[in-house]
Amino acid sequence: MPEGDTVWQAARRLHEALAGKALTRSDFRVPKYATVDLSGRRVLNTVPRGKHILTRFEGGLTLHTHLRMEGSWKVFGTGERWRGGPAYQIRAVLGTADRTAVGYRLPVLELLRTTEEERIVGHLGPDLLGSDWDPERALANVLSDPARELGEALLDQRNLAGIGNVYKSELCFLLGVTPWLPAGALPADLARRLPGLAKRLLEANRDRPVRQTTGLHRYDLFVYGRAPRPCLRCHTPVRVADQGDGSQERPTYWCPTCQTGPAPAPGAPQRWRDKYPRRTG
């Protein structure tokens, strides 16, 4: 599931494969850009911004992509068979003399002038893996609406950029509060810990092939994906429910014993159970 660390890895792969090289192939398989050909242009760099990826080309153009739930970028060598899904799921191909980057199931693909990037990412809060990281501003953003559920505030990329459903659930577990706790009710000592803990989690995983929050050999995650298996700390069955208004996919996992605070109303949807299997034992 793409979150800030996954997007950071994807951007790094694209940068290492393409930066400084001229494109020998450019193929955008979406109607709006079907006739656009960037062949001959040199790739300047690829950078992540929260969950967004910006690939810049000479001539002042930027390709903006977003992976959301299912998208991915794969990089292949010359003559290597493309693996990432059926051909009809390919949305973009960027090739150089020795590498080809293939974008599968990209729900967002947009070409824009590089000078217009702020229109796309200017609304984002401090990036947990970016040079603009500002823990005080991030915390102030999260606490700016005291009545809002903490999990919802953490997912709001305008507050801080990079957290998704996995880190929301894991971060709340490590803080010992439920994601339904109003942000303003978070104890002051936990609030002070929140920005640094979130940053450490993403930084620790940006170079890992498998996301890890527990530090344990057999178990990758404390709660996410574990329902209804036992909590790793207290052995109470982990629970799962949707959070939010149901308009987006927001599976939320928590331990009702280790985490204090409100829980979802009885009968809240639990349709995400076991949809995202994890190597958590």
Side-chain angles (χ1 to χ4, degrees), residues 1-202:
M1 180 179 299
E3 301 197 19
D5 52 349
T6 308
V7 172
W8 190 93
Q9 293 171 13
R12 182 178 63 177
R13 286 195 300 271
L14 289 174
H15 181 80
E16 292 176 348
L18 305 177
K21 303 174 184 178
L23 292 178
T24 59
R25 179 178 182 182
S26 163
D27 183 5
F28 299 112
R29 301 181 184 180
V30 295
K32 185 176 181 179
Y33 303 112
T35 62
V36 174
D37 186 0
L38 301 183
S39 298
R41 292 185 187 242
R42 187 166 59 91
V43 181
L44 302 180
N45 56 34
T46 296
V47 297
R49 182 70 174 87
K51 298 181 183 181
H52 301 255
I53 298 176
L54 303 172
T55 300
R56 299 167 179 143
F57 309 94
E58 64 180 355
L61 284 180
T62 293
L63 175 64
H64 164 234
T65 56
H66 195 296
L67 306 180
R68 289 192 180 164
M69 296 294 291
E70 305 292 342
S72 68
W73 277 102
K74 305 289 185 181
V75 175
F76 306 101
T78 302
E80 187 178 358
R81 184 174 64 86
W82 296 358
R83 305 174 308 280
Y88 70 82
Q89 293 182 344
I90 295 173
R91 298 293 177 265
V93 180
L94 300 174
T96 67
D98 62 346
R99 292 288 187 274
T100 301
V102 183
Y104 289 89
R105 299 171 299 279
L106 298 174
V108 176
L109 187 153
E110 178 182 12
L111 275 172
L112 63 152
R113 304 300 302 180
T114 301
T115 54
E116 297 177 347
E117 287 180 3
E118 281 300 295
R119 174 172 63 84
I120 301 301
V121 297
H123 67 287
L124 298 175
D127 188 339
L128 282 154
L129 295 178
S131 59
D132 70 323
W133 174 242
D134 183 338
E136 294 182 0
R137 180 180 158 213
L139 180 59
N141 290 345
V142 169
L143 300 180
S144 63
D145 184 351
R148 192 178 191 185
E149 293 174 353
L150 179 60
E152 290 289 284
L154 292 174
L155 286 183
D156 191 336
Q157 302 300 294
R158 297 170 297 180
N159 290 336
L160 68 172
I163 289 179
N165 290 314
V166 177
Y167 283 117
K168 171 191 75 173
S169 296
E170 294 295 295
L171 184 58
C172 286
F173 176 83
L174 290 168
L175 291 173
V177 297
T178 71
W180 291 272
L181 181 78
L186 186 66
D189 60 327
L190 298 182
R192 287 192 295 269
R193 287 181 55 203
L194 190 155
L197 180 58
K199 183 173 178 61
R200 286 196 299 276
L201 286 178
L202 267 72

Side-chain angles (χ1 to χ4, degrees), residues 235-250:
H235 307 295
T236 301
V238 171
R239 296 183 61 190
V240 58
D242 278 349
Q243 185 171 25
D245 60 9
S247 62
Q248 299 185 55
E249 299 178 348
R250 292 184 172 177

